[in-house]
Amino acid sequence: MTGSGDVMDVSVDQSLCQGAAQCVRSAPQIFDQDDDGLVVLLRQPGSPAERAAAHVAAVLCPAGVITSGGPA
């Protein structure tokens, strides 16, 4: 179980998604794409490795649609 200081709250703005799939390549356990190729947030990252992968996905997203609060 993670402490409150380890929580990372990820959100996506699907309306701005360009379908580049960098998020899915970086963190397939956290992100997917719908039938139109737009980002889908599957779940919040839990482990430190998942949080790091979600952070990388946010950095790599060309449209900047992934935001996160909390530690990476």
Side-chain angles (χ1 to χ4, degrees):
M1 179 176 232
T2 60
S4 61
D6 294 336
V7 174
M8 179 184 218
D9 184 28
V10 175
S11 62
V12 298
D13 185 345
Q14 195 179 51
S15 69
L16 298 176
C17 182
Q18 298 173 352
Q22 294 299 317
C23 55
V24 178
R25 289 183 190 99
S26 299
Q29 67 279 28
I30 305 298
F31 303 100
D32 200 356
Q33 290 178 291
D34 66 12
D35 291 339
D36 294 321
L38 303 178
V39 64
V40 174
L41 179 64
L42 298 174
R43 62 185 178 82
Q44 293 296 321
S47 71
E50 287 179 350
R51 291 193 299 273
H55 177 74
V56 169
V59 170
L60 292 177
C61 179
V65 305
I66 302 169
T67 57
S68 63

